[in-house]
Amino acid sequence: MIVEATRALIQALKQKVTPNVSITTHTDMLELASLPALVLFTPDLQRVRLNDDSCETVVRNLATGSATIYPPAPTYDATFDLEVVSDSTIKVLDLGEKFNTWAERNPYLTVGDYSFPMMVLEPMGKAGSGSFPERDNIRRLRGRIVVQGIEVPPDEGDSGKLVRELELGWRNENSGAFDNVKVEFKTKG
């Protein structure tokens, strides 16, 4: 789900802020084809604990008499560092303001049927100059956002058979004999 959330964020930024959006793992801006550009850096993930973090999910298949128990799904906050890069201070400031306005108006990131809270940790700041080889006079702004509560469903669970009948035995204190009780579970329908 983290990959899907990252893709949805990139698409939203391309539609509402600028079509020139890319994601990278490092600060090598020589990969940019054109300026101005909005660059996302791969997210820092922090596992967060929610109130129902310890609840397992049980999926029963009554037709086959089996059940699968899935461990609790871990939940993460994904923090993205962003940079607006251009060769013009005015273009950098304009694109930074467009991003800040978009982020204020969109407190949720929608990914399919899910909506995740999104918060600006650091709005795009003041303009500065960068020093990139072979590209003088580059201006950039930096910011930071977090997409919260991204649940990553577990891939596998523990499978087993459902109990269809159960026989209990105990020692009767009055007679000293063993008594048995048979319990049968029936499916509805």
Side-chain angles (χ1 to χ4, degrees):
M1 184 61 76
I2 292 170
V3 171
E4 290 87 350
T6 303
R7 286 181 185 150
L9 178 60
I10 291 170
Q11 290 304 315
L13 292 170
K14 283 184 176 184
Q15 290 174 1
K16 302 296 182 179
V17 180
T18 180
N20 194 9
V21 177
S22 64
I23 187 164
T24 185
T25 58
H26 51 79
T27 59
D28 185 6
M29 299 301 169
L30 295 176
E31 296 174 4
L32 296 175
S34 64
L35 295 176
L38 178 60
V39 180
L40 272 77
F41 295 93
T42 51
D44 291 325
L45 300 175
Q46 179 181 1
R47 185 167 179 174
V48 293
R49 182 174 173 86
L50 299 177
N51 291 337
D52 62 351
D53 196 24
S54 60
C55 297
E56 296 176 333
T57 303
V58 179
V59 178
R60 293 176 183 89
N61 186 339
L62 298 178
T64 62
S66 64
T68 304
I69 300 172
Y70 294 97
T75 304
Y76 294 90
D77 286 351
T79 304
F80 293 88
D81 289 320
L82 302 104
E83 279 192 0
V84 172
V85 182
S86 182
D87 54 0
S88 163
T89 302
I90 291 174
K91 289 178 184 176
V92 164
L93 291 172
D94 182 51
L95 197 52
E97 187 60 31
K98 281 177 78 174
F99 169 79
N100 287 340
T101 302
W102 172 82
E104 285 177 17
R105 293 181 180 167
N106 294 280
Y108 291 93
L109 177 67
T110 302
V111 182
D113 295 335
Y114 300 96
S115 287
F116 301 109
M118 187 170 56
M119 189 171 70
V120 176
L121 298 177
E122 296 173 19
M124 290 291 176
K126 67 177 190 175
S129 63
S131 57
F132 301 105
E134 301 174 18
R135 293 190 84 165
D136 293 334
N137 209 19
I138 298 293
R139 306 281 182 237
R140 62 183 170 182
L141 291 177
R142 292 187 178 145
R144 177 178 262 194
I145 61 172
V146 62
V147 180
Q148 299 173 315
I150 302 172
E151 190 173 275
V152 179
D155 293 333
E156 295 182 13
D158 294 326
S159 296
K161 294 288 184 186
L162 288 173
V163 175
R164 295 216 180 246
E165 62 181 41
L166 174 68
E167 190 169 324
L168 302 172
W170 73 92
R171 183 179 195 99
N172 187 329
E173 302 247 344
N174 294 331
S175 67
F178 281 100
D179 289 331
N180 293 322
V181 173
K182 187 174 184 178
V183 180
E184 291 185 21
F185 300 95
K186 296 183 179 178
T187 60
K188 295 180 182 178

